[in-house]
Amino acid sequence: MGVEPNAKRRRQRISASPPRVSARQAAESVVAAANAQRDVLRLVPERLRRLEGALPAELAGYSVSTMPEPLRRWAFDLTKRNMRDAYERTWGWNNREKRRELSHADARFLVAHVEKHPKETVLASRDDERRADATSPASSDDAVAFVHVRFEVEADDAPVVYAYELQCDAEKGARGKGLGRFLMRAAEAAGVAAGCSRGVLTVLKENTGARAFYEKLGYVPDPDTPADAACAYVILRKALEAR
């Protein structure tokens, strides 16, 4: 029996339709593309890479493979100095586990380095800096704060930028200078550029100052926060939109 021409065309159109992509697959594609970006700084708009004010600073971006070893040691030591006591009061501090977390293949770092040159010198040399390898600045001596993020897929199939650590170096006078807000804005912008729908982070319940800081930035409790009152932390989230 012959096939009617119209039926044949309908069949061809149906067979030519691309396979449907699930929400999970779409999110995994976003995260894979973000993780393929060697330098997370490339996801941050130029206007958000420099902080003016009492402690002028510029951002550098690193993955684990591009972060100089002295800078990696500084990031670990700073996290330990800032967080060990609070961890020991809650779920315990473990040097090996924290090093493993900071050395994860998907870890990305935005580091604020103190700007030591006059502004006009920086502006004059910026074109040269863009042509240089963006992963090669700076020693740990002029590093004053960092945010450690990963691009991940949440249980509800949303691609997110997850802030694992946000640390400022008080010994270098970095507290109260706007560096935390500066780094979080950059991290969120990187998430938007990567295609993430929200920012997520975890904060200890006892760290009321940090929680208040994040709430001022627009973070709210995540429904996935464990309901157990004995849980030491709260998960916060924020919908991300391009600005």
Side-chain angles (χ1 to χ4, degrees), residues 123-143:
L123 294 174
S125 63
R126 187 153 293 171
D127 288 339
D128 293 335
E129 291 174 357
R130 288 196 192 102
R131 288 191 291 270
D133 182 355
T135 65
S136 64
S139 69
S140 60
D141 294 341
D142 58 10

PDB file of all heavy atoms in Angstrom, residues 123-143:
ATOM      1  N   LEU A 123      45.914  51.996  34.330  1.00  0.00           N
ATOM      2  CA  LEU A 123      45.129  52.222  33.121  1.00  0.00           C
ATOM      3  C   LEU A 123      46.001  52.143  31.880  1.00  0.00           C
ATOM      4  O   LEU A 123      45.612  51.601  30.855  1.00  0.00           O
ATOM      5  CB  LEU A 123      44.434  53.583  33.206  1.00  0.00           C
ATOM      6  CG  LEU A 123      43.358  53.697  34.290  1.00  0.00           C
ATOM      7  CD1 LEU A 123      42.857  55.132  34.358  1.00  0.00           C
ATOM      8  CD2 LEU A 123      42.212  52.739  34.004  1.00  0.00           C
ATOM      9  N   ALA A 124      47.205  52.688  31.956  1.00  0.00           N
ATOM     10  CA  ALA A 124      48.083  52.698  30.796  1.00  0.00           C
ATOM     11  C   ALA A 124      48.533  51.300  30.414  1.00  0.00           C
ATOM     12  O   ALA A 124      48.769  51.016  29.241  1.00  0.00           O
ATOM     13  CB  ALA A 124      49.309  53.569  31.094  1.00  0.00           C
ATOM     14  N   SER A 125      48.640  50.419  31.413  1.00  0.00           N
ATOM     15  CA  SER A 125      49.164  49.088  31.127  1.00  0.00           C
ATOM     16  C   SER A 125      48.074  48.039  30.963  1.00  0.00           C
ATOM     17  O   SER A 125      48.370  46.873  30.748  1.00  0.00           O
ATOM     18  CB  SER A 125      50.096  48.643  32.258  1.00  0.00           C
ATOM     19  OG  SER A 125      49.385  48.533  33.469  1.00  0.00           O
ATOM     20  N   ARG A 126      46.811  48.430  31.059  1.00  0.00           N
ATOM     21  CA  ARG A 126      45.738  47.439  31.053  1.00  0.00           C
ATOM     22  C   ARG A 126      45.680  46.650  29.755  1.00  0.00           C
ATOM     23  O   ARG A 126      45.406  45.451  29.759  1.00  0.00           O
ATOM     24  CB  ARG A 126      44.409  48.129  31.344  1.00  0.00           C
ATOM     25  CG  ARG A 126      43.267  47.166  31.516  1.00  0.00           C
ATOM     26  CD  ARG A 126      42.191  47.735  32.400  1.00  0.00           C
ATOM     27  NE  ARG A 126      42.651  47.900  33.756  1.00  0.00           N
ATOM     28  CZ  ARG A 126      41.950  48.538  34.692  1.00  0.00           C
ATOM     29  NH1 ARG A 126      40.799  49.079  34.403  1.00  0.00           N
ATOM     30  NH2 ARG A 126      42.421  48.653  35.910  1.00  0.00           N
ATOM     31  N   ASP A 127      45.932  47.300  28.619  1.00  0.00           N
ATOM     32  CA  ASP A 127      45.907  46.561  27.357  1.00  0.00           C
ATOM     33  C   ASP A 127      46.963  45.469  27.347  1.00  0.00           C
ATOM     34  O   ASP A 127      46.742  44.362  26.855  1.00  0.00           O
ATOM     35  CB  ASP A 127      46.118  47.503  26.166  1.00  0.00           C
ATOM     36  CG  ASP A 127      44.894  48.368  25.924  1.00  0.00           C
ATOM     37  OD1 ASP A 127      43.798  47.977  26.380  1.00  0.00           O
ATOM     38  OD2 ASP A 127      45.040  49.421  25.291  1.00  0.00           O
ATOM     39  N   ASP A 128      48.153  45.774  27.881  1.00  0.00           N
ATOM     40  CA  ASP A 128      49.196  44.764  27.964  1.00  0.00           C
ATOM     41  C   ASP A 128      48.784  43.630  28.882  1.00  0.00           C
ATOM     42  O   ASP A 128      49.056  42.461  28.610  1.00  0.00           O
ATOM     43  CB  ASP A 128      50.504  45.383  28.480  1.00  0.00           C
ATOM     44  CG  ASP A 128      51.087  46.363  27.479  1.00  0.00           C
ATOM     45  OD1 ASP A 128      50.793  46.208  26.278  1.00  0.00           O
ATOM     46  OD2 ASP A 128      51.823  47.263  27.906  1.00  0.00           O
ATOM     47  N   GLU A 129      48.104  43.950  29.983  1.00  0.00           N
ATOM     48  CA  GLU A 129      47.673  42.926  30.916  1.00  0.00           C
ATOM     49  C   GLU A 129      46.652  41.998  30.278  1.00  0.00           C
ATOM     50  O   GLU A 129      46.645  40.801  30.525  1.00  0.00           O
ATOM     51  CB  GLU A 129      47.085  43.571  32.167  1.00  0.00           C
ATOM     52  CG  GLU A 129      48.131  44.289  33.012  1.00  0.00           C
ATOM     53  CD  GLU A 129      47.504  45.036  34.170  1.00  0.00           C
ATOM     54  OE1 GLU A 129      46.257  45.034  34.265  1.00  0.00           O
ATOM     55  OE2 GLU A 129      48.251  45.619  34.961  1.00  0.00           O
ATOM     56  N   ARG A 130      45.767  42.576  29.459  1.00  0.00           N
ATOM     57  CA  ARG A 130      44.771  41.722  28.811  1.00  0.00           C
ATOM     58  C   ARG A 130      45.422  40.707  27.891  1.00  0.00           C
ATOM     59  O   ARG A 130      44.943  39.596  27.722  1.00  0.00           O
ATOM     60  CB  ARG A 130      43.800  42.595  27.998  1.00  0.00           C
ATOM     61  CG  ARG A 130      42.836  43.406  28.841  1.00  0.00           C
ATOM     62  CD  ARG A 130      41.697  43.901  27.975  1.00  0.00           C
ATOM     63  NE  ARG A 130      40.920  44.900  28.683  1.00  0.00           N
ATOM     64  CZ  ARG A 130      41.006  46.191  28.474  1.00  0.00           C
ATOM     65  NH1 ARG A 130      41.870  46.652  27.584  1.00  0.00           N
ATOM     66  NH2 ARG A 130      40.257  47.044  29.134  1.00  0.00           N
ATOM     67  N   ARG A 131      46.532  41.122  27.252  1.00  0.00           N
ATOM     68  CA  ARG A 131      47.199  40.197  26.335  1.00  0.00           C
ATOM     69  C   ARG A 131      48.018  39.150  27.079  1.00  0.00           C
ATOM     70  O   ARG A 131      48.345  38.105  26.534  1.00  0.00           O
ATOM     71  CB  ARG A 131      48.094  40.985  25.376  1.00  0.00           C
ATOM     72  CG  ARG A 131      47.306  41.782  24.330  1.00  0.00           C
ATOM     73  CD  ARG A 131      48.231  42.318  23.262  1.00  0.00           C
ATOM     74  NE  ARG A 131      49.104  43.364  23.780  1.00  0.00           N
ATOM     75  CZ  ARG A 131      48.789  44.659  23.775  1.00  0.00           C
ATOM     76  NH1 ARG A 131      47.622  45.044  23.307  1.00  0.00           N
ATOM     77  NH2 ARG A 131      49.624  45.557  24.249  1.00  0.00           N
ATOM     78  N   ALA A 132      48.336  39.450  28.342  1.00  0.00           N
ATOM     79  CA  ALA A 132      49.120  38.492  29.131  1.00  0.00           C
ATOM     80  C   ALA A 132      48.216  37.375  29.613  1.00  0.00           C
ATOM     81  O   ALA A 132      46.987  37.474  29.581  1.00  0.00           O
ATOM     82  CB  ALA A 132      49.761  39.202  30.321  1.00  0.00           C
ATOM     83  N   ASP A 133      48.803  36.301  30.082  1.00  0.00           N
ATOM     84  CA  ASP A 133      48.044  35.203  30.663  1.00  0.00           C
ATOM     85  C   ASP A 133      47.408  35.684  31.954  1.00  0.00           C
ATOM     86  O   ASP A 133      48.086  36.039  32.903  1.00  0.00           O
ATOM     87  CB  ASP A 133      48.994  34.035  30.954  1.00  0.00           C
ATOM     88  CG  ASP A 133      48.267  32.827  31.516  1.00  0.00           C
ATOM     89  OD1 ASP A 133      47.051  32.937  31.767  1.00  0.00           O
ATOM     90  OD2 ASP A 133      48.922  31.793  31.689  1.00  0.00           O
ATOM     91  N   ALA A 134      46.064  35.675  31.996  1.00  0.00           N
ATOM     92  CA  ALA A 134      45.351  36.222  33.139  1.00  0.00           C
ATOM     93  C   ALA A 134      45.540  35.382  34.391  1.00  0.00           C
ATOM     94  O   ALA A 134      45.179  35.792  35.477  1.00  0.00           O
ATOM     95  CB  ALA A 134      43.855  36.333  32.822  1.00  0.00           C
ATOM     96  N   THR A 135      46.087  34.193  34.270  1.00  0.00           N
ATOM     97  CA  THR A 135      46.255  33.344  35.438  1.00  0.00           C
ATOM     98  C   THR A 135      47.623  33.509  36.083  1.00  0.00           C
ATOM     99  O   THR A 135      47.964  32.799  37.009  1.00  0.00           O
ATOM    100  CB  THR A 135      46.088  31.868  35.036  1.00  0.00           C
ATOM    101  OG1 THR A 135      47.146  31.519  34.143  1.00  0.00           O
ATOM    102  CG2 THR A 135      44.759  31.618  34.386  1.00  0.00           C
ATOM    103  N   SER A 136      48.451  34.454  35.606  1.00  0.00           N
ATOM    104  CA  SER A 136      49.830  34.505  36.059  1.00  0.00           C
ATOM    105  C   SER A 136      50.217  35.674  36.949  1.00  0.00           C
ATOM    106  O   SER A 136      51.376  35.870  37.176  1.00  0.00           O
ATOM    107  CB  SER A 136      50.750  34.502  34.838  1.00  0.00           C
ATOM    108  OG  SER A 136      50.531  35.665  34.089  1.00  0.00           O
ATOM    109  N   PRO A 137      49.281  36.562  37.500  1.00  0.00           N
ATOM    110  CA  PRO A 137      49.795  37.662  38.275  1.00  0.00           C
ATOM    111  C   PRO A 137      50.390  37.171  39.569  1.00  0.00           C
ATOM    112  O   PRO A 137      50.536  35.996  39.778  1.00  0.00           O
ATOM    113  CB  PRO A 137      48.591  38.527  38.519  1.00  0.00           C
ATOM    114  CG  PRO A 137      47.449  37.664  38.402  1.00  0.00           C
ATOM    115  CD  PRO A 137      47.850  36.535  37.513  1.00  0.00           C
ATOM    116  N   ALA A 138      50.801  37.765  40.326  1.00  0.00           N
ATOM    117  CA  ALA A 138      50.648  38.012  41.706  1.00  0.00           C
ATOM    118  C   ALA A 138      51.050  36.914  42.650  1.00  0.00           C
ATOM    119  O   ALA A 138      50.765  35.758  42.477  1.00  0.00           O
ATOM    120  CB  ALA A 138      49.242  38.443  41.978  1.00  0.00           C
ATOM    121  N   SER A 139      51.776  37.352  43.640  1.00  0.00           N
ATOM    122  CA  SER A 139      52.174  36.453  44.713  1.00  0.00           C
ATOM    123  C   SER A 139      51.093  36.487  45.787  1.00  0.00           C
ATOM    124  O   SER A 139      50.123  37.231  45.710  1.00  0.00           O
ATOM    125  CB  SER A 139      53.503  36.922  45.308  1.00  0.00           C
ATOM    126  OG  SER A 139      53.314  38.125  46.008  1.00  0.00           O
ATOM    127  N   SER A 140      51.322  35.690  46.835  1.00  0.00           N
ATOM    128  CA  SER A 140      50.385  35.718  47.956  1.00  0.00           C
ATOM    129  C   SER A 140      50.595  36.959  48.822  1.00  0.00           C
ATOM    130  O   SER A 140      49.736  37.287  49.644  1.00  0.00           O
ATOM    131  CB  SER A 140      50.549  34.456  48.804  1.00  0.00           C
ATOM    132  OG  SER A 140      51.872  34.377  49.310  1.00  0.00           O
ATOM    133  N   ASP A 141      51.709  37.671  48.635  1.00  0.00           N
ATOM    134  CA  ASP A 141      52.005  38.824  49.481  1.00  0.00           C
ATOM    135  C   ASP A 141      50.956  39.919  49.346  1.00  0.00           C
ATOM    136  O   ASP A 141      50.627  40.591  50.324  1.00  0.00           O
ATOM    137  CB  ASP A 141      53.380  39.397  49.139  1.00  0.00           C
ATOM    138  CG  ASP A 141      54.515  38.443  49.484  1.00  0.00           C
ATOM    139  OD1 ASP A 141      54.275  37.526  50.295  1.00  0.00           O
ATOM    140  OD2 ASP A 141      55.616  38.618  48.933  1.00  0.00           O
ATOM    141  N   ASP A 142      50.436  40.118  48.130  1.00  0.00           N
ATOM    142  CA  ASP A 142      49.475  41.189  47.936  1.00  0.00           C
ATOM    143  C   ASP A 142      48.032  40.672  47.820  1.00  0.00           C
ATOM    144  O   ASP A 142      47.129  41.413  47.482  1.00  0.00           O
ATOM    145  CB  ASP A 142      49.835  42.035  46.708  1.00  0.00           C
ATOM    146  CG  ASP A 142      49.911  41.220  45.426  1.00  0.00           C
ATOM    147  OD1 ASP A 142      49.500  40.049  45.431  1.00  0.00           O
ATOM    148  OD2 ASP A 142      50.397  41.770  44.414  1.00  0.00           O
ATOM    149  N   ALA A 143      47.814  39.385  48.110  1.00  0.00           N
ATOM    150  CA  ALA A 143      46.467  38.823  48.129  1.00  0.00           C
ATOM    151  C   ALA A 143      45.810  39.150  49.467  1.00  0.00           C
ATOM    152  O   ALA A 143      46.405  38.938  50.529  1.00  0.00           O
ATOM    153  CB  ALA A 143      46.516  37.318  47.913  1.00  0.00           C
TER     154      ALA A 143
END
